[in-house]
Amino acid sequence: MHPYIAVPATLALGWRAYSRDSLTPAGLVVACLTAVVHAIHPWSVFFALLVVFFLTGTAVTKVKHDVKARLTLSASGSSGGEGRRTHIQVLANSLVASIFILLHYRQLLAREKSGDANQGCWSYGSDLLVIGIVGNYAAVAADTFSSELGILSKSRPRLLTSWNFRQVPPGTNGGITFWGTMAGFLGASTIALTSVVLLPFCPVGPTSWSGKLFGGNQPGLAGGNGWGLQEKVAWVLAVTICGGLGSLLDSALGGWFQASVIDSRTGKVIEGNGGTKVLLSGSHIKKDGNGSRRVESGAGFLDNNAVNILMAATMSVAGCEKRTYERAVQNTSLPVRFSRGLHSRKISFAMAPTLKTSASSEIRKAIDDVTADTNKIPGCVLVVVNKDGKTLFEHASGRKGADSKAPMTLDSIFWIASCTKTITGIAVMQLIEQGKLTLDDADKIEELCPELKTIRILKNVNEHGEPELVEKKNRITMRMMLTHTAGFGYAFFNENIRRWGQPFGCDEFSGHESDILGQPLLFEPGTRWEYGVGIDWVGTVVERLSGISLNEYCQKNIFQPLGIKNISFFPSAEMKKNLAYLHQREAGGKIRERDHLLRRPLIVDGEDVAKTYNSGGGGCFARPAEYCGQ
């Protein structure tokens, strides 16, 4: 918040409290410090919420103050009613929010440092601390409105925590009335409306057609991160309900844990000064023969301030946790567990976005327009599924090859190249889940793959073609191989590996394990990232640990349990019949058919299958729909 706004606003609030004698000296100091905490945050909304709560809370406290004063008594013996608020009462209402504001400010600073372009606005479903802050003020505002206005209700309050909902004197902790409850929701709505006006929501804006269909600045309720009218209306309703429930929670906590003390002679509730506990006995208390004070309800463990803090903290955290749960289930579509879960159906907790009919038609036309010219894309199969595995769109267009008359169909088979890495990752995570392996156990990796113990780092290849190899210092772990930080590369990306393999060549698609497992490292394990054959090594670990080939392992533990028939490292005769051609673009721009890069798995049979390397980094062939989960 800009200092030229924050400083005079803070001084004005302090002066107002001082001039109206609404705070004790300590309360005034704490209130000013609280305002400073709210003001240092770059978003003005939190300071505005503090101001709205302070002004509306003060206003409802003054409504028919003389009437309320006659309904209760002060612990000091005078008439009741709200006196000057202490520093403890100020903290009871704002401490949780202040802590969350500081945490969120720190979060924004970290994002700014990391160069996050979206740190200036609030994306739908993100920044749970914001929900906690707004939820705090909605709850304390609702509680203030409910307690200050509810006591004026003509109907006698009923004790929320009693089994028979019995009537109690006005001002009893846990006592509620219909109109008092409605007043609580009114108080929460003032916070909700203030927040919806001032929060820096990320807007719903136009994007590319792909962004409109698959996220981008889609409305939050449609699976995106933007805030449209519907999301903002839902926000106001949610904050209002949250605040109203906070008021009821405060009543319940007060009814259970805060003693309501009644003056036996007048039947009025005695209020503790500054929200403190009311004494049942003491030298300054006038007594009659039967005792002048009695407990109407509550255990007396907490005073009013402690109840308020407990309620505010509970509602703030509950708001965050509720959104955490919603966000988690919105992103949940994986099997429950890698091993056992693959034998059972997928679990879904929330509805996923769907494609509009007009969008489907638009995508279909875009694909058909491109494949109409075989020199652009001869053929294409597009399958779109949601997070629950439900098919949103599927379309086959064009031909299986540039010079082929065979049409591309939904049953066409493709070499899925590096999409194989996902499958290999699932395989090894099953073994990790079973306790047979861990992500960081270098001893186990070297036991299974002793080659990795002695593998060296390629520093350079000189002009005579002689490689400079040095010993590595760090040991390789499964985590490094899975995250491409183990030191491996690809010959078709890295000039050093390509030169190292000369004059014989280094071909990761040959089907021979020596072309992959024989490669050196490019850098010290764990120090850099480079896309390479690390996932192929992961597949080798799976084979050596399980005692069977990677294809056999995946068929037995992944594909068969899921009913998948058309994904394999060695395509069946039926899959080969439906295989799409591989193409390459010549220097002049013309597209032509060519041999498959990964040719060996397509031509071997019998004993030669066992001699062919199962490439965990790029060896699978698949029908697109089955890879997507159909």
Side-chain angles (χ1 to χ4, degrees):
M1 189 173 175
H2 293 295
Y4 56 79
I5 297 176
V7 172
T10 301
L11 293 175
L13 284 177
W15 173 254
R16 189 179 191 280
Y18 173 76
S19 62
R20 301 198 177 195
D21 200 26
S22 57
L23 295 173
T24 64
L28 184 60
V29 171
V30 171
C32 289
L33 290 175
T34 300
V36 170
V37 169
H38 286 59
I40 63 174
H41 195 284
W43 296 0
S44 62
V45 59
F46 302 136
F47 189 86
L49 294 181
L50 176 67
V51 172
V52 169
F53 170 67
F54 174 71
L55 295 179
T56 58
T58 302
V60 297
T61 300
K62 299 300 182 183
V63 173
K64 294 189 177 180
H65 181 268
D66 56 333
V67 176
K68 290 184 283 188
R70 294 197 300 268
L71 295 174
T72 60
L73 295 175
S74 170
S76 62
S78 61
S79 61
E82 185 68 47
R84 293 192 302 172
R85 289 183 174 266
T86 67
H87 61 291
I88 299 298
Q89 289 175 294
V90 173
L91 290 174
N93 289 320
S94 61
L95 177 62
V96 175
S98 297
I99 293 172
F100 278 23
I101 286 169
L102 291 175
L103 291 174
H104 188 250
Y105 182 40
R106 179 185 178 191
Q107 191 178 83
L108 291 184
L109 291 176
R111 288 185 195 170
E112 186 177 15
K113 186 176 181 180
S114 65
D116 186 347
N118 292 325
Q119 62 97 17
C121 71
W122 185 33
S123 301
Y124 184 87
S126 67
D127 287 350
L128 301 181
L129 291 171
V130 176
I131 299 174
I133 297 164
V134 178
N136 173 92
Y137 277 114
V140 296
D143 178 51
T144 301
F145 272 63
S146 178
S147 61
E148 294 296 336
L149 299 181
I151 198 173
L152 297 174
S153 175
K154 294 181 179 180
S155 60
R156 196 172 177 85
R158 292 183 176 274
L159 187 61
L160 181 62
T161 54
S162 67
W163 67 271
N164 60 353
F165 212 46
R166 63 184 174 88
Q167 291 186 337
V168 289
T172 301
N173 300 309
I176 62 172
T177 63
F178 173 78
W179 291 114
T181 302
M182 291 301 100
F185 283 99
L186 174 63
S189 69
T190 63
I191 298 298
L193 293 172
T194 302
S195 67
V196 82
V197 171
L198 295 177
L199 275 170
F201 296 108
C202 290
V204 174
T207 60
S208 63
W209 67 268
S210 59
K212 291 178 182 177
L213 295 174
F214 307 117
N217 272 1
Q218 282 270 80
L221 295 177
N225 62 6
W227 288 82
L229 179 60
Q230 282 186 311
E231 287 75 21
K232 291 179 180 179
V233 170
W235 167 258
V236 171
L237 292 175
V239 172
T240 301
I241 293 171
C242 174
L245 293 177
S247 175
L248 292 176
L249 175 63
D250 186 87
S251 295
L253 294 174
W256 282 320
F257 304 124
Q258 182 183 354
S260 291
V261 179
I262 303 294
D263 180 74
S264 301
R265 293 163 297 183
T266 63
K268 295 180 180 180
V269 171
I270 302 174
E271 295 183 329
N273 297 326
T276 58
K277 292 182 180 180
V278 177
L279 298 176
L280 285 173
S281 61
S283 58
H284 65 285
I285 299 175
K286 296 181 181 179
K287 300 180 181 179
D288 56 25
N290 299 318
S292 61
R293 298 182 178 185
R294 62 180 175 83
V295 175
E296 174 70 22
S297 63
F301 296 142
L302 304 175
D303 62 15
N304 187 64
N305 297 320
V307 167
N308 286 345
I309 291 178
L310 181 59
M311 180 276 292
T314 301
M315 295 309 299
S316 296
V317 174
C320 293
E321 289 300 319
K322 180 178 183 296
R323 184 54 204 160
T324 301
Y325 171 77
E326 290 173 348
R327 190 170 63 175
V329 298
Q330 284 173 355
N331 294 323
T332 298
S333 63
L334 293 176
V336 178
R337 292 179 69 80
F338 279 108
S339 57
R340 293 192 294 275
L342 287 170
H343 294 265
S344 60
R345 65 184 179 87
K346 292 181 178 180
I347 292 181
S348 170
F349 297 97
M351 293 186 63
T354 58
L355 293 183
K356 296 179 180 178
T357 303
S358 58
S360 296
S361 299
E362 186 179 344
I363 301 173
R364 188 176 288 107
K365 182 179 183 303
I367 295 171
D368 290 342
D369 287 346
V370 173
T371 58
D373 182 353
T374 56
N375 203 47
K376 290 183 178 178
I377 298 178
C380 172
V381 174
L382 176 63
V383 179
V384 180
V385 298
N386 66 14
K387 62 184 178 57
D388 300 323
K390 178 183 176 182
T391 300
L392 302 182
F393 177 88
E394 57 182 357
H395 182 56
S397 181
R399 296 178 289 184
K400 289 202 292 184
D403 301 322
S404 171
K405 299 297 182 182
M408 191 73 80
T409 72
L410 293 175
D411 290 326
S412 295
I413 302 298
F414 293 81
W415 171 48
I416 62 172
S418 284
C419 290
T420 306
K421 290 178 171 66
T422 300
I423 298 169
T424 305
I426 291 173
V428 77
M429 291 306 293
Q430 288 180 337
L431 298 174
I432 289 173
E433 185 181 68
Q434 294 164 17
K436 298 178 180 178
L437 196 65
T438 68
L439 289 171
D440 300 304
D441 186 353
D443 288 335
K444 188 66 175 180
I445 295 300
E446 290 178 356
E447 175 190 329
L448 294 168
C449 304
E451 307 98 314
L452 294 179
K453 190 172 184 178
T454 57
I455 192 170
R456 293 190 293 175
I457 300 172
L458 176 65
K459 299 297 289 185
N460 192 26
V461 179
N462 65 25
E463 58 186 8
H464 302 294
E466 299 168 341
E468 179 188 351
L469 296 164
V470 299
E471 300 294 329
K472 67 178 178 66
K473 299 177 182 178
N474 300 338
R475 303 171 74 191
I476 295 173
T477 66
M478 176 57 65
R479 188 186 300 275
M480 294 177 188
M481 290 190 286
L482 286 170
T483 57
H484 295 292
T485 59
F488 297 107
Y490 273 125
F492 51 86
F493 281 149
N494 191 283
E495 180 66 23
N496 263 0
I497 294 182
R498 191 158 47 247
R499 293 180 62 201
W500 167 83
Q502 296 298 327
F504 307 111
C506 180
D507 181 9
E508 287 97 348
F509 308 115
S510 67
H512 296 286
E513 70 173 20
S514 59
D515 276 312
I516 291 178
L517 304 189
Q519 289 187 22
L521 300 176
L522 294 172
F523 53 86
E524 192 67 47
T527 62
R528 275 175 45 200
W529 183 94
E530 180 156 345
Y531 197 55
V533 299
I535 308 296
D536 289 286
W537 275 100
V538 172
T540 298
V541 169
V542 171
E543 289 185 331
R544 294 180 183 180
L545 188 57
S546 65
I548 55 179
S549 72
L550 185 58
N551 184 54
E552 290 175 293
Y553 181 92
C554 292
Q555 294 294 338
K556 179 180 178 181
N557 295 282
I558 300 176
F559 304 146
Q560 290 176 11
L562 291 174
I564 293 174
K565 298 179 180 179
N566 292 292
I567 301 180
S568 178
F569 287 81
F570 298 92
S572 64
E574 186 65 25
M575 290 176 69
K576 292 176 186 177
K577 283 173 54 178
N578 292 318
L579 185 65
Y581 288 71
L582 199 66
H583 298 79
Q584 74 178 42
R585 193 177 296 276
E586 296 178 335
K590 181 178 175 56
I591 283 184
R592 67 173 180 84
E593 296 172 1
R594 58 152 295 160
D595 294 342
H596 265 272
L597 282 173
L598 194 63
R599 183 170 175 270
R600 184 173 174 82
L602 296 170
I603 60 174
V604 296
D605 56 21
E607 294 181 357
D608 288 335
V609 171
K611 299 176 183 178
T612 301
Y613 183 65
N614 293 202
S615 172
C620 273
F621 296 79
R623 187 171 77 92
E626 290 186 68
Y627 183 82
C628 291
Q630 279 190 338

